[in-house]
Amino acid sequence: MKILVIEDDKTTGAYIADGLREEGHVVDLLENGRDALLQASTTDYDVLIVDRMLPGLDGMALVKTLRGAKNQTPVLFLTSLGGVDDRIEGLNAGGDDYLVKPFAFGELSARVAALARRPRATQEETTLQAGDLEMDLVRRKVTRAGQTIDLLPREFALLEHLLRRKGRVQTRTMLLEAVWDISFDPQTNVVETHISRLRAKVDKPFDTEIIETVRGSGYRIEG
Amino acid sequence: MANVRGIWTSTPLRQSLAMAALFALVSLVSLAATYWIVRDNTEKALRATLEQEMKGFLALPNAAAVLTFVRSQSETASPEDRILSYVLPGGLHVGNAALVSKKNGYTALSLDEEYADLSGSYFALSAPVHGGQMTIALSAEPLGDIREAFLSVFLFSLIPTTLLVIGGGVLLARRSVRRLNRIDTTLDRLTTGDYAARVAPMTGRADDLSQIGDRIDKMAAAQEQQISALKQVSADIAHDLKTPIQRVSVLLNRLQDRANLDSDSAELVDRANAETDGIVKTFQSLLQIAQIEGGSPRKRFEPVDVAALARTFCEVYEPAAEETGHALLCDVPDQPMYVVGDKTLLGQVFANLIENALRHTPDGANVSVGAVLDSGAVRLTVSDTGPGIPADERENVLRRLYRLERSRTTPGNGLGLSLVAAIVDMHEGEMRLEDNEPGLQVEITLSSTLAPDLSQSKPQQNG
């Protein structure tokens, strides 16, 4: 993927750029909002990572200007604030996701991957599948190797979310947002607990593991 | 919510009613005084006429002359205007009506059926004349005419004028009620965090209300500027603080990634990471309290099912409670309970209260979360069976960064309860800390609202 990072702090910027390059992305790093506006409007990127406060041109103004010029490249905002208002303001300005500083690299990487492959209005699926596991969304039934698995509603939602994003890492906070609808981190291990309960039903009785733990990042179902 | 003022309580209408009442009173008094003076003068004139005539009769030489004179006068005088009556002791009576007054002096008479062909009011003077009793009565009709004239003045000028004053007052009042309502609505919007709200110049004549409107607009503009300055300052501080924290976290991550790290060093890195998280959490809470108290807009408020929210947070904290041997009980009925608010912030209320309860009670204590819908209000409780808070300390714990002496040893930044208090305040709710005997019970009361009507959700936009 081709990613443009706009971050005025050199240490943070280099850390993001190096990390993404290690993952095999092509990364351009800029420190100034005005330069970024020119660069983003002349070059095609898959994702923009934008610090909200930038010298030259503020991150919010930058994204608003790009959106005004019909540039629809997905934007991940990095912010120092992180209040409820700031989050909504950022999303209203045309941001697609929002990450509060300080963040771990795994979180950033997972969110960038999620942005780049945003599902683009696919037709309604009625079954989801991974290996020998099958989920019937209409009858709300899960089977693996022909065996029916009984899941609690939260476990079902968790599995459905992972199945719909096969191959992509989902972090704790992403799962909290999607499955529990909580947009702040309550710092409990509720996600881990539910994942382990889900695993006990979905993976333990079988030979292979479908739900994979990605160290330092989150969880993934391989596609 | 816009308090739409009734016209009957408006100052202009009350003033015009008072003016109308005063005007009517003054007019009535002066009308009555004038009436009394005019009537008195007319009566005096009647008396003078009567005395003049009586003198004429007294000037006659004897009773026979009086008889002759009365008789001739009676022939020409109509008894309706003027009655002459002369009665001699023998019973002889002359005159145009048999009017006998036994009393000397003036009398006001009202004749009725007793006198077959006469009726009406008269003003009479009776006096002894040459052995007989002479009575002269003049019709009191002029007095009645005066009364009628004054009555018509009252009916045709005073009443319409009063009505006109009241009508004008109502018209003026309606205009000022409109202006006041506009000011009211603007103030409401300003207090609920819509700092862009303005009264806007009023059409029509300028008055004190339009001046107040202009002043409110000036004040609102100043407030808006201050708030945006405050926002800018918080953003600057946040940026300047978070950038180095982010750098520390980056450096720690790099250190962590080194393969040759021994286990002691790895533990130090983990501890440093945890401390960084603590700094961020404290800073985030302070920033959030400042934002909420600085007037966070409430226009994003929407109906939130707090019963569902309570259940979610019980579920979220269940693993944490299990880990520390706490029993987390969720005593929330299945029925939805809606309040108008911010879902994320209300969620933080539950998160902070449950986290607080788990942190400040010994392992094995009970923590219970409750929600009750009770006559238009939702009562949320988070109670524990821990050591509780002494009654004289309860006020203090809501203060920012305040921590009980004995809780200095437990982790936490002392911001949990003050953030909850700020959020409850923003939702115009009430928060009380009570004795759970033993333990602490935090009770929050919020006014409930009806479930949102899902059929009225916004239509999907096309294109």
Side-chain angles (χ1 to χ4, degrees):
Chain A
M1 269 201 284
K2 201 167 159 65
I3 301 167
L4 176 62
V5 179
I6 308 133
E7 164 64 65
D8 61 327
D9 182 60
K10 286 193 174 67
T11 314
T12 312
Y15 174 67
I16 298 170
D18 291 349
L20 290 171
R21 280 182 194 125
E22 260 174 51
E23 288 189 343
H25 300 297
V26 177
V27 183
D28 289 335
L29 177 61
L30 291 174
E31 290 175 14
N32 178 302
R34 256 195 296 271
D35 299 347
L37 180 61
L38 187 68
Q39 181 75 10
S41 12
T42 51
T43 316
D44 230 4
Y45 287 98
D46 294 304
V47 173
L48 306 179
I49 298 173
V50 182
D51 188 1
R52 258 193 67 173
M53 284 180 86
L54 290 169
L57 182 66
D58 180 61
M60 287 267 278
L62 167 67
V63 174
K64 271 188 189 158
T65 313
L66 284 174
R67 292 289 184 256
K70 301 269 180 277
N71 183 325
Q72 297 302 333
T73 314
V75 168
L76 171 65
F77 269 123
L78 299 180
T79 182
S80 301
L81 289 161
V84 184
D85 297 350
D86 315 303
R87 188 187 174 80
I88 308 258
E89 266 175 34
L91 297 182
N92 282 348
D96 298 87
D97 202 356
Y98 204 86
L99 197 52
V100 181
K101 286 180 176 179
F103 51 85
F105 184 78
E107 189 71 40
L108 176 85
S109 153
R111 285 182 186 262
V112 167
L115 276 184
R117 278 182 265 172
R118 280 224 147 175
R120 284 178 189 77
T122 49
Q123 71 269 35
E124 280 294 313
E125 291 159 299
T126 55
T127 55
L128 299 170
Q129 201 214 323
D132 54 356
L133 180 114
E134 227 174 80
M135 175 179 266
D136 185 333
L137 293 170
V138 181
R139 287 156 58 216
R140 303 197 70 76
K141 260 182 73 177
V142 177
T143 54
R144 185 164 178 192
Q147 269 177 263
T148 305
I149 300 170
D150 284 325
L151 294 180
L152 293 172
R154 206 65 96 182
E155 293 159 358
F156 189 94
L158 198 53
L159 183 60
E160 181 189 340
H161 183 85
L162 290 169
L163 281 171
R164 281 188 190 275
R165 288 154 190 82
K166 260 193 305 195
R168 276 179 279 159
V169 179
Q170 297 298 300
T171 65
R172 278 183 67 244
T173 49
M174 287 163 93
L175 291 171
L176 269 172
E177 272 171 41
V179 179
W180 281 269
D181 193 18
I182 297 174
S183 55
F184 60 96
D185 189 355
Q187 294 187 320
T188 73
N189 42 4
V190 65
V191 177
E192 290 82 345
T193 310
H194 277 78
I195 289 278
S196 83
R197 284 183 198 160
L198 185 59
R199 274 183 170 148
K201 292 180 181 178
V202 173
D203 280 341
K204 231 181 182 168
F206 304 92
D207 299 336
T208 51
E209 281 190 356
I210 283 180
I211 303 166
E212 184 192 343
T213 304
V214 182
R215 203 186 143 262
S217 300
Y219 306 93
R220 172 171 58 191
I221 288 180
E222 261 314 327
Chain B
M1 305 307 101
N3 159 26
V4 178
R5 216 175 278 270
I7 192 166
W8 298 111
T9 58
S10 79
T11 313
L13 186 66
R14 286 183 169 196
Q15 276 175 352
S16 66
L17 282 178
M19 283 303 290
L22 193 68
F23 170 75
L25 188 75
V26 169
S27 304
L28 264 178
V29 168
S30 75
L31 204 63
T34 317
Y35 171 68
W36 185 77
I37 291 165
V38 171
R39 196 186 184 285
D40 192 52
N41 282 341
T42 315
E43 206 181 298
K44 271 183 188 151
L46 282 175
R47 280 175 195 230
T49 314
L50 288 172
E51 263 165 49
Q52 205 60 45
E53 287 201 23
M54 195 57 85
K55 272 182 193 156
F57 286 113
L58 283 168
L60 291 171
N62 50 39
V66 175
L67 278 173
T68 319
F69 193 63
V70 168
R71 210 171 269 139
S72 75
Q73 290 249 322
S74 299
E75 272 163 26
T76 52
S78 155
E80 277 164 28
D81 296 331
R82 184 156 166 262
I83 297 172
L84 289 170
S85 169
Y86 188 52
V87 184
L88 284 165
L92 181 66
H93 168 258
V94 287
N96 54 5
L99 197 66
V100 185
S101 184
K102 285 146 196 104
K103 233 173 72 195
N104 293 334
Y106 295 103
T107 37
L109 299 170
S110 202
L111 300 183
D112 45 32
E113 285 85 57
E114 227 182 298
Y115 298 88
D117 49 351
L118 278 177
S119 68
S121 296
Y122 290 85
F123 200 71
L125 177 63
S126 203
V129 178
H130 298 299
Q133 187 74 15
M134 179 74 209
T135 303
I136 314 163
L138 285 173
S139 167
E141 210 168 300
L143 292 176
D145 287 349
I146 289 165
R147 210 178 58 233
E148 261 171 41
F150 274 91
L151 206 63
S152 36
V153 166
F154 177 70
L155 284 177
F156 294 113
S157 81
L158 195 56
I159 289 181
T161 311
T162 309
L163 287 178
L164 220 65
V165 170
I166 294 173
V170 169
L171 280 180
L172 279 175
R174 277 181 49 189
R175 194 175 79 146
S176 71
V177 162
R178 271 201 302 274
R179 292 188 166 187
L180 280 171
N181 279 341
R182 219 158 99 185
I183 290 173
D184 240 16
T185 323
T186 309
L187 285 174
D188 262 346
R189 283 174 59 199
L190 285 172
T191 47
T192 51
D194 181 2
Y195 300 108
R198 294 290 182 275
V199 181
M202 305 193 177
T203 50
R205 236 161 10 88
D207 62 3
D208 46 357
L209 287 181
S210 63
Q211 271 175 28
I212 289 174
D214 292 345
R215 284 184 156 195
I216 287 173
D217 281 359
K218 273 191 197 133
M219 196 190 73
Q223 198 184 9
E224 195 181 19
Q225 206 177 9
Q226 274 172 14
I227 281 167
S228 81
L230 181 81
K231 266 190 168 171
Q232 189 56 48
V233 169
S234 340
D236 289 346
I237 293 174
H239 186 255
D240 291 355
L241 261 172
K242 282 280 188 81
T243 306
I245 295 173
Q246 174 73 48
R247 268 187 229 151
V248 170
S249 135
V250 165
L251 297 174
L252 287 172
N253 275 315
R254 286 206 179 134
L255 199 57
Q256 213 162 17
D257 288 344
R258 290 201 176 159
N260 57 355
L261 217 60
D262 61 73
S263 65
D264 278 1
S265 312
E267 203 202 310
L268 282 177
V269 172
D270 281 348
R271 270 173 56 193
N273 260 326
E275 288 298 334
T276 317
D277 284 349
I279 296 171
V280 171
K281 212 181 165 193
T282 304
F283 177 68
Q284 207 65 46
S285 299
L286 274 174
L287 196 65
Q288 208 171 9
I289 294 174
Q291 280 180 345
I292 290 169
E293 287 180 349
S296 206
R298 294 175 212 174
K299 54 189 168 200
R300 256 199 339 270
F301 275 22
E302 54 182 9
V304 178
D305 181 0
V306 282
L309 212 55
R311 283 192 295 271
T312 300
F313 278 90
C314 283
E315 185 194 322
V316 165
Y317 280 95
E318 193 204 77
E322 220 166 90
E323 215 169 83
T324 52
H326 285 88
L328 180 58
L329 312 165
C330 190
D331 186 16
V332 180
D334 255 341
Q335 91 194 96
M337 300 175 196
Y338 284 96
V339 305
V340 175
D342 185 305
K343 196 176 166 211
T344 304
L345 293 177
L346 289 171
Q348 271 185 346
V349 166
F350 286 110
N352 282 9
L353 291 180
I354 298 172
E355 205 183 306
N356 243 12
L358 293 177
R359 184 180 293 150
H360 295 297
T361 58
D363 295 1
N366 289 345
V367 175
S368 46
V369 178
V372 183
L373 190 61
D374 178 21
S375 60
V378 176
R379 202 156 42 84
L380 307 169
T381 49
V382 176
S383 16
D384 62 58
T385 56
I389 298 177
D392 54 334
E393 292 258 34
R394 282 185 203 142
E395 278 278 304
N396 291 333
V397 293
L398 297 179
R399 264 166 38 201
R400 223 169 283 180
L401 296 169
Y402 182 87
R403 295 181 63 199
L404 291 181
E405 204 47 55
R406 61 186 155 75
S407 65
R408 295 246 170 239
T409 47
T410 50
N413 51 35
L415 284 171
L417 279 180
S418 39
L419 179 59
V420 170
I423 294 172
V424 171
D425 208 43
M426 181 196 192
H427 286 79
E428 287 168 356
E430 227 181 282
M431 173 169 166
R432 279 170 33 197
L433 304 182
E434 277 164 3
D435 198 344
N436 196 34
E437 295 170 355
L440 174 69
Q441 167 159 304
V442 181
E443 185 187 288
I444 291 167
T445 315
L446 298 165
S447 50
S448 72
T449 185
L450 294 174
D453 188 357
L454 295 174
S455 64
Q456 283 193 345
S457 56
K458 281 178 207 158
Q460 295 264 307
Q461 278 188 333
N462 295 321

